[in-house]
């Protein structure tokens, strides 16, 4: 409550590509932006995580506009393969159509709304709605209507009743994204400078990456922004939340040697030197493979590039996070399920060229650490739920969270690591610079347009 | 009672003794002792289920909620023993119900046993239930069986709430 909210005078002028300061007068749902956060993102009101009006507006301005992660291309191995997921709370089917094109449809019949697909994944020539039998092609067209002549008449125009389709579906390095916004920028523009770091992570070996089969799914009773901002740049929680993981040797004690980089548009990554999960317990051959990748990157970009294998933990705004650690690589989406609940979908990604035995070992390391019962995941989830529980009451929703750690220490990444490395970066690992950037971008997206 | 019946009864008695012991170890959180009933070659898997047009399927090469050998199981136990293992601070109350539904004698005295599992968990900030089907391969050892292989297929598809901290 007693935050002294100095504006960002310590932040160097615009040469650091930070998202714009939050204009205190802008409207966000029933609030002024100044009520909800400090202009530089260094304080965020607790109501942002519990207010139903804010949540409804997020569904419109964030989840129906931003590019959202759907899944990996290798989960759609052939034409007419599909899987189901959600974009925000909207159920979608992601389909590789007859011609191989990636498409995303609202999983809801155009007639009365029932789900036309009720399984996780498979291959299908068409989707038949169980309610009245309207049937749709893998291109989303309405191809059959039971008793069409007798009940609708011969003039019925089926072409008007296709499945609702996301206007933009695209992929980057095998990762499929979609946006519902007809005016959305291209995926490449949306990712911006984060594309550089994603590429470092996804193109280490010839042939790219593939997803291991199966999806880990579980729920956490927490607002979606709490985990999204955690993966964006909360390294400070590691020694306390994950004390057990340090104690039993799965990871070394965290140092302050590393980077937190934000690249604009709310995207960010961070890593301690050498990557998370460096430890002596239950090791695999992955270590040697990462050393090799590190030396190849140094040969390409110079000694400073040594710090970027693995690339670290990050969030692609709004709700896709990744963890490229010293032991494995995982991707996850925090699907909102109401203001105080998420459903997590999580995958393990490996390089296609990795030997089969090592793929299996990496899969197990990922499950051990960050599956739903992971020795790191289980403490994060438990603590995040306790955050949400403590915000429910009349008093608990008053006041602001503090995000002042490392304030004013950001500078262009290139000044510290050399010209190819974009974004802004702090000189210490334990900073909340990335969380501030996340909420500044959030406010930009959420605010009503200026009159 | 015929000879075959006698041996079936004896087998079920032995199995029930094994599972009674395991139930106590698990619901009392005595995980270090639980490791003692494992064969060092243990393969302990709780695969994810995928809903497909052909029904619910599980695959050996896909993700598991648990996907462990002996070393990884020991690592999990070491983690849960830490005072900083917040997910179990304070510890859950657990209640295991195991019902053997099928068993067969295999070569070299090994036994394939199928059982139903019902587990109730009450943690400081939530409660949940799990049910599933266990398939175990048990090998004879001094003082009873050792667990060589376990596959548990859980009935729920989205795995309940955060912080999975129980063994099945």
């Amino acid at each position: 409550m007693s935050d002294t909210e100095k504006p960002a005078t310590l932040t160097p002028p615009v040469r650091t590509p930070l998202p714009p300061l939050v204009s205190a007068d802008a409207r966000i749902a029933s609030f002024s932006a100044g009520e909800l956060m400090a202009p530089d993102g260094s304080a965020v009101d607790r109501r942002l995580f519990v207010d139903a009006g804010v949540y409804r507006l997020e569904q419109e301005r964030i989840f129906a506009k931003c590019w959202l992660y759907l899944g990996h291309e290798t989960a759609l191995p052939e034409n007419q393969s599909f899987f189901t997921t959600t974009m925000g709370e909207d159920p979608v089917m992601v389909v590789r159509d007859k011609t191989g094109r990636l498409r995303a449809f609202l999983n809801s019949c155009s007639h009365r709304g029932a789900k036309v697909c009720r399984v996780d994944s498979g291959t299908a020539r068409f989707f038949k709605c169980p309610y009245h039998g309207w049937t749709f092609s893998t291109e989303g067209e309405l191809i059959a209507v039971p008793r069409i002549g007798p009940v609708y008449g011969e003039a019925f125009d089926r072409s008007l009743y296709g499945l609702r389709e996301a206007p933009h579906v695209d992929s980057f390095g095998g990762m499929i994204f979609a946006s519902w916004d007809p005016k959305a920028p291209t995926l490449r523009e949306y990712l911006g400078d984060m594309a550089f770091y994603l590429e470092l992570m996804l193109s280490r070996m010839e042939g790219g990456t593939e997803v291991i089969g199966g999806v880990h799914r579980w729920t956490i009773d927490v607002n979606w922004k709490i985990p999204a901002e955690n993966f964006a740049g909360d390294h400070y929680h590691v020694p306390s939340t994950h004390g057990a993981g340090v104690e039993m040797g799965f990871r070394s004690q965290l140092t302050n040697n590393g980077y937190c980089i934000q690249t604009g548009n709310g995207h960010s990554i961070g890593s301690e030197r050498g990557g998370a999960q460096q430890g002596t317990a239950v090791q695999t051959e992955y270590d040697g493979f990462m050393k090799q990748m590190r030396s190849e990157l140094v040969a390409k970009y110079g000694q400073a590039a040594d710090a970027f294998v693995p690339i670290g933990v990050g969030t692609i705004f709004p709700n896709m996070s990744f963890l490229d650690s010293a032991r494995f690589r995982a991707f996850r989406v925090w699907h909102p399920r109401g203001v105080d609940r998420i459903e997590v979908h999580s995958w393990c990604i490996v390089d296609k060229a990795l030997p089969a035995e090592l793929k299996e070992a990496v899969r197990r390391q990922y499950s051990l650490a960050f599956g739903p019962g992971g020795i790191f995941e289980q403490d994060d989830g438990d603590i995040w739920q306790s955050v949400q529980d403590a915000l429910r009451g009349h008093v608990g929703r008053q006041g602001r969270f503090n995000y002042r750690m490392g304030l004013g220490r950001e500078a262009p990444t290139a000044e510290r690591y050399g010209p190819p490395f974009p974004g802004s970066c702090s000189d210490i690992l334990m900073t909340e610079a990335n969380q501030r950037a996340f909420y500044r971008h959030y406010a930009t997206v959420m605010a009503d347009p200026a009159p | 009672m015929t000879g075959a019946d006698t041996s079936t009864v004896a087998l079920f008695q032995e199995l029930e003794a094994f599972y009674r012991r395991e139930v106590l170890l698990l619901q009392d959180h005595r995980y270090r002792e639980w490791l003692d009933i494992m064969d060092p070659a243990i393969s302990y898997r709780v695969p994810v289920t995928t809903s497909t047009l052909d029904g619910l399927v599980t695959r050996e090469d896909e993700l598991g909620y648990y996907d462990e050998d002996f070393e990884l199981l020991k690592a999990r136990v070491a983690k849960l023993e830490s005072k900083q293992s917040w997910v179990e601070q304070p510890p859950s109350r657990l209640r295991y119900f195991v019902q053997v539904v099928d068993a067969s004698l295999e070569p070299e005295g090994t036994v394939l046993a199928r059982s139903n599992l019902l587990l109730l968990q009450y943690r400081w900030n939530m409660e949940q239930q799990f049910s599933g089907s266990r398939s175990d391969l048990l090998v004879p050892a001094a003082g009873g069986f050792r667990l060589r292989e376990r596959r548990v297929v859980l009935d729920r598809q989205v795995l309940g709430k955060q912080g999975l901290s129980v063994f099945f």
Side-chain angles (χ1 to χ4, degrees), chain B residues 27-41:
Chain B
Q27 69 189 22
D28 293 346
H29 304 261
R30 284 151 59 196
Y31 298 128
R32 190 58 58 178
E33 290 170 69
W34 181 60
L35 290 174
D36 291 341
I37 69 167
M38 303 295 163
D39 184 271

Side-chain angles (χ1 to χ4, degrees), chain A residues 119-121 123 213-214 216-217 219-220 240-241 243-244 247-248 363-364 367-368 372-373 375 378-379 381-382 385, chain B residues 45 48 50-53 61-65 67 75-76 79 82 84 86-87 124-125 159-164:
Chain A
V119 300
D120 297 328
S121 57
T123 302
H216 275 148
R217 292 179 298 169
T219 63
I220 309 178
S240 179
T241 301
E247 209 176 296
M248 51 68 76
R363 178 188 88 206
R364 293 176 152 194
S367 286
L368 173 67
I375 59 179
Q378 57 188 193
D379 295 323
D382 180 76
Q385 182 188 333
Chain B
R45 252 182 83 74
V48 301
T50 303
S51 159
T52 73
L53 298 168
D61 62 349
E62 295 196 340
L63 296 179
Y65 297 114
D67 198 355
R76 284 187 182 275
K79 190 273 177 181
S82 166
Q84 300 180 79
W86 305 113
V87 69
W124 73 295
N125 54 4
L159 185 92
K161 296 188 176 184
Q162 83 293 334
L164 174 65

Side-chain angles (χ1 to χ4, degrees), chain A residues 65-323:
Chain A
K65 286 225 165 103
C66 293
W67 283 90
L68 304 176
Y69 181 62
L70 301 178
H72 198 278
E73 279 192 42
T74 53
L76 298 173
E78 52 188 294
N79 291 354
Q80 301 192 304
S81 300
F82 69 90
F83 60 80
T84 54
T85 180
T86 67
M87 293 172 69
E89 297 210 49
D90 290 312
V92 295
M93 326 190 299
V94 184
V95 182
R96 192 185 285 282
D97 78 7
K98 283 193 205 94
T99 67
R101 184 180 145 196
L102 298 170
R103 312 174 79 134
F105 303 105
L106 189 69
N107 185 5
S108 176
C109 183
S110 55
H111 173 237
R112 200 66 86 247
K115 283 188 180 176
V116 299
C117 179
R118 30 174 69 202
V119 300
D120 297 328
S121 57
T123 302
R125 285 177 297 117
F126 54 83
F127 299 95
K128 182 174 180 181
C129 178
Y131 199 177
H132 304 91
W134 285 27
T135 302
F136 302 87
S137 69
T138 50
E139 289 66 47
E141 304 152 320
L142 177 58
I143 50 174
V145 174
R147 298 165 197 86
I148 185 166
V151 299
Y152 289 106
E154 295 307 328
F156 187 78
D157 186 358
R158 286 194 319 239
S159 73
L160 298 175
Y161 300 99
L163 291 172
R164 177 85 186 265
E165 181 169 10
H168 300 291
V169 180
D170 200 357
S171 62
F172 183 90
M175 320 296 290
I176 310 169
F177 292 79
S179 164
W180 286 110
D181 183 6
K183 299 196 289 279
T186 65
L187 175 60
R188 191 65 181 67
E189 288 164 350
Y190 181 83
L191 294 172
D193 283 338
M194 181 51 78
F196 174 85
Y197 295 107
L198 279 181
E199 201 163 327
L200 287 186
M201 170 167 49
L202 296 171
S203 58
R204 274 193 206 123
M205 293 179 88
E206 203 65 41
T209 59
E210 66 186 14
V211 67
I212 287 177
V215 185
H216 275 148
R217 292 179 298 169
W218 67 99
T219 63
I220 309 178
D221 288 341
V222 69
N223 182 268
W224 66 273
K225 297 186 289 300
I226 295 287
E229 67 146 88
N230 173 284
F231 271 64
D234 191 333
H235 297 268
Y236 187 55
H237 84 293
V238 171
S240 179
T241 301
H242 302 304
V246 175
E247 209 176 296
M248 51 68 76
F250 195 79
R251 66 131 46 243
S252 52
Q253 199 61 256
L254 187 76
T255 73
N256 212 5
N257 180 9
Y259 54 76
C260 266
I261 296 172
Q262 69 81 34
T263 60
N265 283 357
H267 312 318
S268 42
I269 54 167
S271 183
E272 63 195 284
R273 196 77 182 197
Q277 321 288 4
Q278 299 171 72
T280 52
V282 288
Q283 288 174 324
T284 70
E285 301 296 317
Y286 197 60
D287 221 31
F289 150 78
M290 291 300 265
K291 281 199 182 88
Q292 172 64 26
M293 297 298 124
R294 199 171 289 130
S295 65
E296 286 175 21
L297 198 68
V298 166
K300 193 169 166 191
Y301 290 122
Q303 196 54 43
D306 186 62
F308 292 88
V309 178
I311 204 79
V313 192
T315 291
I316 307 287
F317 191 88
N319 66 333
M320 185 262 219
S321 293
F322 54 85
L323 173 51

Side-chain angles (χ1 to χ4, degrees), chain B residues 1-145:
Chain B
M1 206 178 253
T2 68
D5 282 338
T6 311
S7 71
T8 304
V9 169
L11 174 60
F12 270 73
Q13 279 174 346
E14 267 189 273
L15 284 174
E16 276 159 15
F18 174 84
Y19 287 118
R20 268 201 306 276
R21 179 175 175 216
E22 187 184 21
V23 161
L24 285 176
L25 295 176
L26 286 175
Q27 69 189 22
D28 293 346
H29 304 261
R30 284 151 59 196
Y31 298 128
R32 190 58 58 178
E33 290 170 69
W34 181 60
L35 290 174
D36 291 341
I37 69 167
M38 303 295 163
D39 184 271
I42 177 75
S43 160
Y44 178 96
R45 252 182 83 74
V46 183
V48 301
T49 43
T50 303
S51 159
T52 73
L53 298 168
D54 302 318
L56 292 174
V57 298
T58 60
R59 287 180 45 163
E60 279 295 305
D61 62 349
E62 295 196 340
L63 296 179
Y65 297 114
Y66 289 96
D67 198 355
E68 320 294 304
D69 58 19
F70 199 34
E71 290 307 307
L72 297 182
L73 267 186
K74 283 195 277 191
R76 284 187 182 275
V77 169
K79 190 273 177 181
L80 286 169
E81 285 173 340
S82 166
K83 286 276 183 293
Q84 300 180 79
S85 185
W86 305 113
V87 69
E88 285 292 328
Q89 298 285 347
S92 300
R93 299 274 296 178
L94 302 174
R95 204 62 55 196
Y96 282 80
F97 301 86
V98 175
Q99 178 190 38
V100 179
V101 291
D102 193 22
S104 58
L105 263 174
E106 302 294 316
E108 293 166 28
T110 63
V111 175
L112 275 175
R114 235 182 107 184
S115 55
N116 290 341
L117 172 70
L118 174 65
L119 166 58
L120 311 181
Q121 179 187 22
Y122 298 86
R123 204 155 75 200
W124 73 295
N125 54 4
M126 63 96 168
E127 58 186 67
Q128 64 183 333
Q129 297 78 43
F130 301 94
S131 64
S133 173
R134 260 187 190 169
S135 302
D136 291 345
L137 176 65
L138 300 161
V139 294
F145 291 114

